[in-house]
Amino acid sequence: MKKLAAGLILICLTVPTAIAEEGMWRPGQLPGLEERLTRLGFEVEPNELADLTGHPMGAVISLGGCTASFVSPEGLAVTNHHCAYGTIQYNSSEDGNLLRTGFLAAERHDELPAAPGSRILVTVAGKDVTDAVLGGLSENATGRERWESIAAKEKELVAVCEEDAGHRCKVVAYHGGLEFELIKQLEIRDVRLVYVPAGSIGVFGGDVDNWMWPRHTGDFAFYRAYVGPDGQPAEPAQENVPYRPRHYLRLASDPLGEGDFVMALGYPGSTNRYRLAIEVESAFGWSFPTRIRLYQQWLDILDRQTADDERLTITYASLKSGLENAVKYYRGLLDGYAKSDMLRRKMDSERDLQRWIESDPAVKEDFLPTLRELRILAARQQGTRERRIYYEDLVRRGELLDTARTLYRLARERQKVDLEREQGYQERDVPRIRERLIRIDRTFDPGVDRAFWRHFIIDYASLAADQHVKAFDQWFGIGVEGLDEELLDRRLGEMYEATQLTDQLSRLAWLDASSAEIEASEDPFLQLAVALFESDQELEAEEKELAGRLDEVRSRYMEALTSYLGTLGRQVYPDANGTLRVTFGSVEGYSPRDAVTYAPFTNLKGILEKHTGEEPFAAPEAQLEAIRRDLGDAIHDGQLDSVPVNFLSTLDSTGGNSGSATLNGKAELVGLLFDGVWESIIADWDFIPELSRSIHVDLRYVLWVMETLDGAQHLIEEMQVQH
């Protein structure tokens, strides 16, 4: 390992001096930020980052919810352990629990298939289509008419784009619908798991350490992308060959140190930096506390249902991890909000914007009504929040009901011309629906699912009458006097006993059924889906009307805001929306509160200090022995020239950035972004420079684990191939 860890820095306590660099920037904006990038230590021309198909952007790929990067000419891709968690769980069993043991493919033929539905998406083009999407829109269109017009144009653009076989295209909106972009991605459908460390390394610290610093987590995993023998995307098959990317990242040649420039390239999910004060009040005052309570109830049920049952524990491992992360995330948001003056500053900024609008006759007529209307619409949206969370987000998405609703909706949509179908139910979407129906076998148990569903139906039944859905109430006998739980239990027992949707072959058979065949079915979940269809359509129409109005007004609001900020000399980045972004800054610690200062690096010694022998701090014995051997007397004399494990940076990031390649000033790989600190969770809504820190796994620790513990020398050699 010494040759890989040469020049490791001395880890010591230092006072942070840098201020976090705000912004998840679109690549095309970076040339305008050249002065800032150069000042921080970036040594590459920013114009190179604006090229989505050049180096290094062309090496960065989407997993659909996480980011990964090619690191070899043979399609090897690195991401976070938690991004591969669903695949690890899918390939685990009681006899071979990869969540616990980890996995390493010694040869290519040993690599395991990723979970059904897994994709590697390589961005190959981006094109502004704002005029094509918004052109011809009537000023008098209703919200629903606007929504459907935009959706129709998006489908037309996507259809033309996907005439190029093997590609997946989408239209995305920026600044609330002020701009639209058509993104074209190569869709690699044969994805295989190559290597993940043991769970006691990949998730060391578990939920206890989640969002916390100091951190000692080996959050990394490796996939490989495969294509057909002709080099084109293909369904998984034995004859497929590794994909040869045009670009892949090189490993850093110089050690990373405090104050050094770093940047992350990735696909952040969503942020809400430009929301109104009224939306902030609703989110932090009601929505987030409610979700914490409901998700914690879900976790409690899950713990009771899976206790002492390894099969069920494996089946629901991914769901449990996601719920734990969500609960802690929302708690972090509330904690950050309570300590901040965000609401006051939101009100102040809205007041400043309004004053600017009122002071300029040229913009007053266009934008002053916008602020008023946006506040009214935002308030209207809050009126259905209980139904949306309790019914639409929880009850209606019970696994078997959601499956039945999808099957029936698909059958109804197939009665239309493909371009007239609802997005998500076109022929291009059928393979993903099929894969989801297959994946259920490894993520579902009828007894556990029934316990979840029963609990949330009871919660829903307690809502005010105006939040109820008549067809659902009739099915379960929910009346003005409330819900009879004995009747509910009998009904649920009958449904789970009679359904055939728990069987994969039966589910797949219904995928090709007509709406008439489903309507004639005696399966209770399909019958319920049919009974709910009209109310589903009514709810969807309401949502489209409000969404169309909100998007129209919010886009005008963002036009006003960007114009105003432009007068102050500020360049505006869009909220994150799952598209490729660049965030940059430096390696720095921080001070979260009085008399507490955190250094920017952790190292191997911290693993020894945290190890308790019990989960989630049960490091493998082989790792403990290797650490003691490598550190030797340095543990005792305090002169610790050790392998860095994790590090902090001032980068602006959020969910979806997980797995993002962290590069140095030469655009070389130095780590993977995998988390943020507790104090920066609020950054999804409010960026606080002195507290915003991202957490990365250091590439030197990745290599140390690969070489010292798991014998993955062949992968190290593959990554270090130079041409």
Side-chain angles (χ1 to χ4, degrees):
M1 183 59 211
K2 289 182 174 55
K3 65 181 182 299
L4 295 173
L8 295 174
I9 67 167
L10 184 69
I11 307 299
C12 59
L13 193 67
T14 56
V15 178
T17 58
I19 295 297
E21 289 284 341
E22 179 178 357
M24 301 175 199
W25 300 95
R26 295 175 66 182
Q29 293 181 288
L30 295 176
L33 302 171
E34 183 171 8
E35 186 277 328
R36 286 171 61 184
L37 287 163
T38 302
R39 171 172 48 82
L40 287 168
F42 189 50
E43 301 176 24
V44 179
E45 283 292 328
N47 283 326
E48 294 186 25
L49 295 175
D51 181 2
L52 299 182
T53 61
H55 184 82
M57 304 303 290
V60 181
I61 54 183
S62 172
L63 300 178
C66 274
T67 304
S69 302
F70 288 123
V71 287
S72 92
E74 293 293 318
L76 187 68
V78 65
T79 187
N80 287 156
H81 183 282
H82 75 263
C83 292
Y85 204 74
T87 285
I88 305 169
Q89 178 263 329
Y90 184 83
N91 283 286
S92 292
S93 66
E94 294 173 86
D95 296 329
N97 188 350
L98 307 188
L99 292 168
R100 182 184 304 121
T101 64
F103 171 77
L104 174 64
E107 303 289 345
R108 299 277 171 87
H109 59 76
D110 297 323
E111 295 168 0
L112 298 175
S118 298
R119 298 286 191 275
I120 281 179
L121 299 168
V122 186
T123 299
V124 297
K127 176 184 177 183
D128 184 276
V129 291
T130 304
D131 290 342
V133 172
L134 298 180
L137 269 177
S138 170
E139 293 183 2
N140 300 317
T142 66
R144 182 177 179 181
E145 289 170 345
R146 185 180 195 276
W147 193 96
E148 290 182 339
S149 173
I150 289 174
K153 291 175 180 178
E154 289 176 349
K155 286 184 286 188
E156 291 173 3
L157 290 166
V158 165
V160 172
C161 181
E162 291 184 354
E163 289 176 357
D164 189 357
H167 292 80
R168 189 82 175 179
C169 303
K170 61 181 178 180
V171 176
V172 294
Y174 299 96
H175 297 306
L178 188 61
E179 301 174 50
F180 290 84
E181 182 182 24
L182 175 66
I183 296 175
K184 182 177 182 180
Q185 296 175 308
L186 188 72
E187 183 183 41
I188 297 176
R189 303 187 295 278
D190 190 347
V191 182
R192 304 182 196 179
L193 184 65
V194 177
Y195 167 54
V196 289
S200 49
I201 292 174
V203 291
F204 184 76
D207 190 54
V208 176
D209 264 8
N210 191 21
W211 302 102
M212 295 297 168
W213 187 263
R215 197 74 171 271
H216 300 82
T217 308
D219 202 342
F220 67 90
F222 288 86
Y223 281 125
R224 194 182 303 278
Y226 281 81
V227 292
D230 61 354
Q232 297 302 307
E235 295 299 320
Q238 186 175 355
E239 65 269 18
N240 287 351
V241 298
Y243 172 68
R244 297 189 65 83
R246 290 181 57 193
H247 303 283
Y248 60 94
L249 300 178
R250 271 67 169 185
L251 280 58
S253 54
D254 298 320
L256 184 69
E258 183 176 9
D260 284 354
F261 173 89
V262 283
M263 69 191 321
L265 316 182
Y267 291 83
S270 64
T271 54
N272 301 279
R273 301 267 175 88
Y274 304 109
R275 296 296 181 179
L276 297 181
I278 187 176
E279 295 173 293
V280 170
E281 283 186 291
S282 178
F284 288 86
W286 187 86
S287 295
F288 297 157
T290 300
R291 289 190 182 277
I292 289 172
R293 179 173 57 81
L294 294 174
Y295 291 175
Q296 187 58 58
Q297 291 172 359
W298 199 342
L299 278 168
D300 293 342
I301 296 169
L302 185 57
D303 286 340
R304 290 195 299 271
Q305 292 290 319
T306 62
D308 303 319
D309 190 319
E310 186 174 12
R311 180 186 67 81
L312 291 180
T313 298
I314 293 171
T315 298
Y316 283 96
S318 185
L319 174 61
K320 181 178 180 180
S321 177
L323 287 171
E324 288 175 338
N325 185 64
V327 168
K328 198 162 187 178
Y329 168 76
Y330 288 126
R331 285 176 175 158
L333 283 174
L334 293 183
D335 185 67
Y337 182 68
K339 296 175 181 177
S340 77
D341 61 346
M342 175 170 64
L343 184 60
R344 179 190 61 77
R345 286 184 286 105
K346 282 284 184 183
M347 292 176 175
D348 289 347
S349 64
E350 287 177 36
R351 186 165 52 249
D352 291 342
L353 174 61
Q354 184 163 336
R355 286 172 179 166
W356 174 77
I357 291 173
E358 291 173 338
S359 69
D360 187 345
V363 298
K364 181 176 180 178
E365 184 178 345
D366 288 335
F367 294 136
L368 191 57
T370 295
L371 276 174
R372 300 189 187 119
E373 189 174 0
L374 184 54
R375 288 171 183 144
I376 292 171
L377 291 171
R380 185 183 302 170
Q381 190 176 49
Q382 311 317 316
T384 59
R385 62 189 184 184
E386 289 185 326
R387 188 193 69 204
R388 281 186 282 113
I389 288 181
Y390 285 92
Y391 178 68
E392 296 174 31
D393 290 355
L394 293 173
V395 169
R396 202 172 64 176
R397 296 198 179 187
E399 189 70 79
L400 295 184
L401 176 57
D402 192 32
T403 297
R405 289 178 60 246
T406 299
L407 291 169
Y408 186 55
R409 181 64 181 273
L410 178 63
R412 292 290 295 253
E413 293 294 331
R414 274 180 163 157
Q415 297 172 3
K416 307 173 186 176
V417 175
D418 193 56
L419 274 179
E420 296 178 1
R421 294 188 200 174
E422 193 69 26
Q423 290 170 315
Y425 296 94
Q426 296 178 272
E427 283 306 308
R428 68 193 289 271
D429 303 306
V430 173
R432 295 196 178 205
I433 295 174
R434 180 184 298 275
E435 288 161 344
R436 185 196 138 207
L437 296 180
I438 294 172
R439 192 167 61 243
I440 289 174
D441 279 355
R442 302 289 184 92
T443 60
F444 166 84
D445 175 83
V448 179
D449 189 72
R450 176 177 169 177
F452 292 154
W453 208 38
R454 178 186 187 276
H455 176 83
F456 290 123
I457 290 173
I458 293 172
D459 266 0
Y460 156 81
S462 68
L463 296 180
D466 65 349
Q467 299 294 311
H468 278 232
V469 176
K470 183 178 179 181
F472 190 82
D473 289 359
Q474 290 175 337
W475 184 269
F476 284 106
I478 302 173
V480 292
E481 69 282 359
L483 173 68
D484 183 332
E485 292 190 24
E486 290 186 6
L487 176 61
L488 173 64
D489 287 335
R490 287 198 300 273
R491 190 71 162 127
L492 291 177
E494 293 166 356
M495 293 180 71
Y496 279 88
E497 180 68 26
T499 187
Q500 298 297 310
L501 294 182
T502 53
D503 176 71
Q504 183 185 123
L505 292 179
S506 296
R507 290 195 301 273
L508 294 176
W510 285 111
L511 190 61
D512 298 316
S514 68
S515 59
E517 289 171 326
I518 293 178
E519 289 160 5
S521 166
E522 296 182 358
D523 189 289
F525 282 96
L526 291 174
Q527 290 177 337
L528 178 55
V530 173
L532 293 177
F533 183 76
E534 292 304 322
S535 59
D536 282 351
Q537 293 294 97
E538 291 171 3
L539 292 177
E540 189 173 291
E542 291 177 13
E543 291 165 1
K544 287 179 179 178
E545 174 63 30
L546 183 55
R549 295 294 300 126
L550 270 170
D551 287 349
E552 178 189 11
V553 178
R554 201 181 298 279
S555 66
R556 285 193 272 117
Y557 169 76
M558 289 304 302
E559 183 180 3
L561 182 61
T562 53
S563 297
Y564 166 59
L565 294 176
T567 66
L568 303 179
R570 290 179 54 184
Q571 188 173 359
V572 180
Y573 57 90
D575 265 322
N577 62 352
T579 58
L580 187 57
R581 302 293 180 91
V582 178
T583 175
F584 55 86
S586 56
V587 177
E588 296 292 344
Y590 75 117
S591 179
R593 52 193 176 276
D594 184 40
V596 175
T597 303
Y598 286 131
F601 285 92
T602 59
N603 60 73
L604 294 179
K605 183 183 178 183
I607 297 174
L608 294 180
E609 293 171 343
K610 282 187 176 179
H611 172 73
T612 64
E614 297 182 1
E615 296 296 341
F617 297 104
E621 185 57 38
Q623 183 183 30
L624 298 174
E625 292 177 1
I627 293 173
R628 295 187 188 106
R629 181 178 64 250
D630 281 11
L631 297 184
D633 293 337
I635 294 177
H636 306 290
D637 63 25
Q639 300 302 310
L640 197 62
D641 188 16
S642 177
V643 178
V645 175
N646 296 153
F647 66 89
L648 292 172
S649 77
T650 63
L651 302 189
D652 187 2
S653 64
T654 187
N657 270 125
S658 291
S660 292
T662 306
L663 309 182
N664 61 16
K666 298 178 181 178
E668 299 170 329
L669 186 66
V670 294
L672 300 172
L673 195 158
F674 72 92
D675 207 353
V677 299
W678 181 256
E679 296 80 10
S680 71
I681 295 177
I682 193 69
D684 279 1
W685 290 75
D686 181 36
F687 189 81
I688 304 174
E690 62 271 17
L691 295 177
S692 181
R693 295 294 183 271
S694 293
I695 305 175
H696 313 249
V697 58
D698 196 296
L699 180 65
R700 291 165 288 187
Y701 180 59
V702 174
L703 296 174
W704 183 85
V705 172
M706 294 176 73
E707 183 178 61
T708 305
L709 301 182
D710 290 336
Q713 187 64 36
H714 59 297
L715 297 181
I716 294 174
E717 293 173 357
E718 181 179 345
M719 286 190 291
Q720 293 181 324
V721 171
Q722 299 292 323
H723 292 291

